[in-house]
Amino acid sequence: MSGIEIIGAFESTYLPRHDKDIFESTAHDVQWKQDLALLTKCGISRLRYPVRWHRVEAEEGVLNWQDTDKVLHYLRDHGFRPIVDLVHHTSYPRWMEGGFADPRFRTAYLRYTEEFARRYPCVEEYTLFNEPFSTLFLTGHEGIWPPYQKGLDNFVAQILNVIPAVAEASRAYAELLPGAKHVWVDSCEHHTGEGAGGSAYATMANERRFLVLDSFLGRFDGTGYDPDGPMAELLREAGGGKLQGLEPGRIDVLGLDYYAHCQWHFDDKGGTPNTPHPLPLAQQIYLYWDRYRLPCLLTETNVRGRTSDRATWFKYVLEQCERARHMGVPLDGLCWFPVIDSTDWDSLLFRSDGHIDPVGVFWLDQELARQPSVMSETYTKAAAGVSAKDLPAYTLGEPVATWLRGYESQMSHWKWIPAPEADQGNSLPRTETRMELRIANAE
């Protein structure tokens, strides 16, 4: 028996430029009861579930909780235990035109989070802002998401605009929801490099990955961020000195989101995801736990591929979570994200054409019907307590086999079986597809 609780989740990210979210493009907004029934059938009661701020406050200052009431009351009445997600990526109201750089963010966010807490006092777990490092990196450093800003100075400015408000909300929730736990959720990264330039960049990126969380916790006292470390000079030039004066927030559980593309490899020509030398996930989890000494969850993982590829990746992640526990990490949950396929991540949400993203426990056909597969079978077994060693390992298909080539040594002790030909999923990635941090085929 693995002892790792399996957690459900549904993708909901809002695309402000298109005024549509993934609840709507996958029909979860109308089929949510049926989707929750799928979780029950799998033996899942704990799940990450979003509140859609962009729909709750479609008009500035007017909060409509009608739809949220229906779902959260249903979850409560049917024995579900939600980790409520209050902001998921760019899921802020459309009228906040500057996104996370908008000067209205703090006032609006604190108004929304306070009213939520007063309205739903029975909430037991919550995430105040999903993936703040990776979200603000994509909105403020890489120009991938609105407001499409680039550079370290804009990244720092967005951190300063967002993180103090999240910290303030976390302190307020200690009084508003005193029995509930704040689950901080962010990417779990590790990078490698070769050559002078590539190695130096990897060293800097391995320091940068902790920047937002260290800022949130006020860890500039030698216990966290190194003010003389590999990105210190760059950060000073970008106004990062202001990060040292923030009033700390509070966290109860450290949620770690892990995908194969969380490990990049850099050389003197640049960087690519899927390093050929991936650190085992158990060791990555241990590194984060050792730095922060908080109870942990694996709050997201998936792989974009056939349903059998997903089942095999699930086996790997569960095995690594079990190993992390044996290493002393207090980790009690693993969340495959999401339960049903999402949409439009092929363009990193640049387009909104309903393109199915093949990552779910249940896959969506062209009519958006939810289909079972070997992935849903594996997921159900794990939810019943089956350990990773007793789950099947299916031969990987392309392009996943290429993406995960660096993991072969970590999987060499498995007994592999041929992947089934049926029920492989929809919109599968082409064999030449590469996983990259950029807008792919956006125009």
Side-chain angles (χ1 to χ4, degrees), residues 9 62 65 77 97 123 169 175 194 196 199 203 207 225 234 239 257 261 308 311 342 356 401 406 425:
V62 180
W65 299 101
D77 295 342
E97 297 175 355
V123 166
E175 297 181 6
E194 61 181 300
S199 296
T203 299
E207 180 80 0
Y225 174 77
L234 291 172
D257 292 356
H261 57 264
S308 54
S342 57
I356 293 170

Side-chain angles (χ1 to χ4, degrees), residues 56-320:
V56 169
E57 195 177 359
E59 179 183 348
E60 185 173 2
V62 180
L63 281 73
N64 182 346
W65 299 101
Q66 181 178 356
D67 290 341
T68 308
D69 282 346
K70 291 178 183 177
V71 179
L72 291 190
H73 292 162
Y74 184 92
L75 292 172
R76 177 198 62 197
D77 295 342
H78 289 78
F80 288 100
R81 297 175 291 133
I83 305 170
V84 182
D85 188 351
L86 292 170
V87 179
H88 197 88
H89 293 320
T90 53
S91 299
Y92 50 78
R94 199 181 191 192
W95 49 261
M96 195 178 297
E97 297 175 355
F100 298 124
D102 198 301
R104 294 172 289 180
F105 175 82
R106 176 186 174 277
T107 299
Y109 173 78
L110 292 175
R111 176 178 62 229
Y112 157 66
T113 55
E114 179 179 353
E115 187 161 332
F116 171 85
R118 295 191 184 282
R119 191 175 186 90
Y120 304 104
C122 294
V123 166
E124 296 180 354
E125 295 181 288
Y126 56 88
T127 296
L128 286 167
F129 193 103
N130 174 72
E131 289 196 0
F133 173 83
S134 22
T135 296
L136 300 178
F137 191 74
L138 293 178
T139 61
H141 192 285
E142 296 298 304
I144 299 293
W145 291 341
Y148 305 111
Q149 295 179 339
K150 293 185 177 183
L152 186 59
D153 55 343
N154 284 312
F155 181 40
V156 168
Q158 287 199 29
I159 294 172
L160 290 167
N161 197 48
V162 169
I163 293 304
V166 180
E168 188 172 347
S170 76
R171 296 190 299 270
Y173 270 37
E175 297 181 6
L176 293 169
L177 297 173
K181 294 181 179 180
H182 178 202
V183 181
W184 175 278
V185 173
D186 218 329
S187 54
C188 178
E189 300 186 4
H190 181 77
H191 308 292
T192 56
E194 61 181 300
S199 296
Y201 195 91
T203 299
M204 183 278 295
N206 281 329
E207 180 80 0
R208 185 180 61 194
R209 60 184 166 168
F210 299 123
L211 180 63
V212 173
L213 184 47
D214 282 349
S215 299
F216 182 85
L217 293 174
R219 289 171 58 96
F220 286 85
D221 56 359
T223 62
Y225 174 77
D226 182 359
D228 298 314
M231 67 175 303
E233 183 176 352
L234 291 172
L235 197 60
R236 281 194 293 270
E237 293 174 352
K242 295 178 181 178
L243 297 174
Q244 299 185 35
L246 303 184
E247 186 176 353
R250 49 172 295 278
I251 298 172
D252 298 296
V253 178
L254 179 59
L256 302 172
D257 292 356
Y258 180 73
Y259 302 86
H261 57 264
C262 287
Q263 298 204 57
W264 279 58
H265 185 72
F266 299 93
D267 57 26
D268 292 341
K269 297 180 180 178
T272 56
N274 307 117
T275 173
H277 314 291
L279 188 69
L281 172 57
Q283 293 182 32
Q284 278 189 245
I285 293 171
Y286 186 89
L287 287 173
Y288 276 79
W289 171 75
D290 190 47
R291 186 180 182 97
Y292 297 106
R293 295 286 167 155
L294 289 165
C296 295
L297 293 174
L298 200 294
T299 38
E300 284 187 24
T301 194
N302 71 46
V303 72
R304 180 177 285 108
R306 301 181 300 178
T307 56
S308 54
D309 297 331
R310 298 173 223 174
T312 301
W313 181 249
F314 184 93
K315 175 184 174 76
Y316 170 77
V317 174
L318 179 58
E319 181 176 81
Q320 293 294 315

Side-chain angles (χ1 to χ4, degrees), residues 20-63:
K20 194 162 190 175
D21 67 40
I22 294 176
F23 265 21
E24 295 156 351
S25 58
T26 60
H28 179 77
D29 61 325
V30 294
Q31 296 191 40
W32 57 271
K33 286 186 180 179
Q34 297 95 313
D35 289 341
L36 291 170
L38 290 177
L39 273 187
T40 299
K41 187 176 181 180
C42 292
I44 305 293
S45 61
R46 191 179 183 192
L47 71 160
R48 296 187 63 198
Y49 203 86
V51 174
R52 299 187 292 162
W53 183 17
H54 53 283
R55 297 299 182 221
V56 169
E57 195 177 359
E59 179 183 348
E60 185 173 2
V62 180
L63 281 73

